[in-house]
Amino acid sequence: GFVLGNGLINAGAFNSVRMSKGKFTGGEFVHKSMERDYAAFVGLARTVGSDAGVTEADQDGVVYSVLLDVDASAGVPGGSERFMTGVLNGGGAAKKELLALNNNMDRIGPDSYVGDYNEGDKFGAHIAYETGSLPSVDAGVCQFVYTGGFMSILIYQYKVFPAMIKYAKENTPEGSPIVIATTCTTRDQICTHYIPLQKADKFYLAGRAPTKEYAESLGSDASGIDIAAAFKGLARVLG
């Protein structure tokens, strides 16, 4: 009805997706990782920001989510997509502070039951922080409206990310891995999305398998619920 339509408009459903060439800076990435539907990265970014003393309004350029299995054509089952959310280039003090939190948590793996890794309303609190280095690369860049809610993520999945993936495939050798790094701010209501045009394989930190191999290892079994499946008609609306 009216509320749904208004929500779609506010979240940019009818905005065009504009790509430009830019640079993803790369650097040290202190992060948590998860295997869930990509809608979960918003909650995990909120937790990481809270741990780092960064509000949602100020996360742009500080807190990033790296979506590893964003290319739907690779066949990763809904709810099993991998992503990493953390602080990029936060400096030695921030790294020490975040890693110290590992000492006071009940460590669990990223594929544990959702209730096991939360602490009250703090999403992913019991997932340990890891460190790794993301490369500095040429990237396709897209800035798109962000409402901070579920509607934005759906529009990203159905409209923004497919356009970015198409752009990357047109500007990289055939078969190149596809990943997207995202940083958002609620103050400006904008997310900046980067899709690497080189060295995308270096974003699979800690020996993680590339998307194609990961999808093959899962077969047809999904570890979670594809919440976007309830919105199949949305793709037709977004065009």
Side-chain angles (χ1 to χ4, degrees):
F2 173 78
V3 174
L4 176 61
N6 195 51
L8 287 169
I9 292 170
N10 290 340
F14 304 105
N15 294 13
S16 60
V17 179
R18 295 185 175 90
M19 299 294 302
S20 62
K21 286 191 175 181
K23 196 88 173 178
F24 177 76
T25 59
E28 187 169 42
F29 191 47
V30 184
H31 61 278
K32 293 172 177 274
S33 61
M34 191 175 283
E35 297 172 10
R36 293 289 175 227
D37 188 281
Y38 282 144
F41 86 74
V42 175
L44 197 57
R46 190 176 296 121
T47 292
V48 170
S50 174
D51 287 345
V54 181
T55 68
E56 288 184 83
D58 298 317
Q59 288 188 4
D60 183 44
V62 180
V63 177
Y64 287 78
S65 291
V66 179
L67 316 180
L68 298 176
D69 306 310
V70 71
D71 186 0
S73 69
V76 174
S80 297
E81 299 95 336
R82 300 167 298 171
F83 64 94
M84 306 176 294
T85 298
V87 173
L88 185 65
N89 291 326
K95 175 182 177 180
K96 183 177 180 181
E97 182 178 353
L98 292 175
L99 292 179
L101 296 174
N102 292 347
N103 299 326
N104 299 311
M105 68 171 66
D106 298 323
R107 295 197 192 190
I108 62 169
D111 56 349
S112 298
Y113 178 69
V114 63
D116 294 337
Y117 54 61
N118 295 341
E119 182 176 296
D121 60 356
K122 195 172 184 181
F123 185 68
H126 292 296
I127 296 175
Y129 279 99
E130 310 168 53
T131 63
S133 181
L134 297 175
S136 173
V137 295
D138 293 331
V141 183
C142 172
Q143 288 193 317
F144 206 86
V145 64
Y146 176 62
T147 63
F150 180 66
M151 197 66 72
S152 276
I153 306 307
L154 283 176
I155 290 170
Y156 290 168
Q157 288 180 309
Y158 279 116
K159 182 184 181 77
V160 180
F161 293 165
M164 294 183 68
I165 291 166
K166 181 176 183 292
Y167 176 88
K169 289 183 175 180
E170 291 171 349
N171 288 277
T172 57
E174 184 176 354
S176 296
I178 301 289
V179 301
I180 290 178
T182 295
T183 183
C184 304
T185 167
T186 56
R187 174 183 289 114
D188 299 327
Q189 294 191 312
I190 286 287
C191 283
T192 304
H193 308 291
Y194 300 86
I195 191 160
L197 301 178
Q198 56 186 182
K199 300 180 183 178
D201 58 309
K202 303 299 184 183
F203 284 74
Y204 295 88
L205 299 180
R208 289 175 173 84
T211 296
K212 184 177 179 181
E213 294 177 18
Y214 174 63
E216 290 171 352
S217 73
L218 293 176
S220 59
D221 295 327
S223 64
I225 299 172
D226 185 1
I227 56 177
F231 293 82
K232 289 181 178 178
L234 189 58
R236 291 191 293 272
V237 174
L238 303 183

